[in-house]
Amino acid sequence: MKETQGAASGLVRLTFLVQNLYADVGRDCDLTAAQAQMLCSLADRSIGMAELSGMLCLERSSLTGLVDRAQQRGLVVRENDPHDRRAVKVTLTPEGSKALHRFNDELTERLDKLLADLPATERDRFAKTLNRVIAEAPAVSGH
């Protein structure tokens, strides 16, 4: 039981560490955490507003404001869904894609530094364990 509590506590602390790092890198890239999360969600695809709302756990009115601000900065565009005239999809612009890649590169570099002092075998075991936990975890929903 003690090991489980220790692992759970470690995961909570790791979550805070990663969230703070995510926000720091976002600020360095002139993105809010919400904007960075949205750009990551839009990588390589267009997403409808309703689906994006669910993915980001945001009310539609909050998402509308987030998309409005990103669109004003030239990071995303809204496009009519060719399959549903009432639906709108959000897509990264070339500028948004560039911002996403910069954010991803800087975040990856900073996360890699967290593990740099671990021996390669421990890093590999940690990565395998994380992948297993993620693969076996039930879907998490904010709703």
Side-chain angles (χ1 to χ4, degrees):
M1 187 77 168
K2 196 90 162 159
E3 287 180 29
T4 303
Q5 288 176 347
S9 178
L11 283 172
V12 169
R13 290 193 314 265
L14 181 61
T15 297
F16 289 139
L17 177 67
V18 171
Q19 284 175 334
N20 288 334
L21 192 59
Y22 196 93
D24 286 346
V25 171
R27 276 190 296 278
D28 291 347
C29 294
D30 195 30
L31 298 170
T32 65
Q35 287 171 335
Q37 195 174 14
M38 181 179 65
L39 296 183
C40 289
S41 298
L42 293 170
D44 302 325
R45 63 187 176 138
S46 296
I47 300 177
M49 291 287 282
E51 183 182 356
L52 192 55
S53 174
M55 289 174 74
L56 300 176
C57 299
L58 291 174
E59 294 295 325
R60 286 189 186 194
S61 60
S62 298
L63 178 63
T64 298
L66 178 64
V67 172
D68 285 346
R69 289 184 295 280
Q71 189 168 13
Q72 288 169 357
R73 291 187 55 196
L75 301 174
V76 300
V77 293
R78 287 181 173 96
E79 301 172 327
N80 292 327
D81 186 335
H83 304 292
D84 182 351
R85 292 185 331 184
R86 297 166 296 160
V88 173
K89 291 192 169 227
V90 181
T91 306
L92 288 178
T93 62
E95 188 65 29
S97 184
K98 185 174 151 186
L100 170 61
H101 289 294
R102 177 178 173 218
F103 174 80
N104 248 351
D105 290 348
E106 290 188 30
L107 182 62
T108 300
E109 182 180 322
R110 300 263 305 265
L111 289 170
D112 283 343
K113 284 182 184 178
L114 286 178
L115 305 175
D117 290 338
L118 292 177
T121 54
E122 281 188 54
R123 280 194 311 271
D124 290 344
R125 186 172 40 234
F126 183 65
K128 286 177 185 170
T129 301
L130 281 175
N131 287 328
R132 183 172 169 200
V133 168
I134 291 165
E136 294 176 6
V140 177
S141 174
H143 301 286

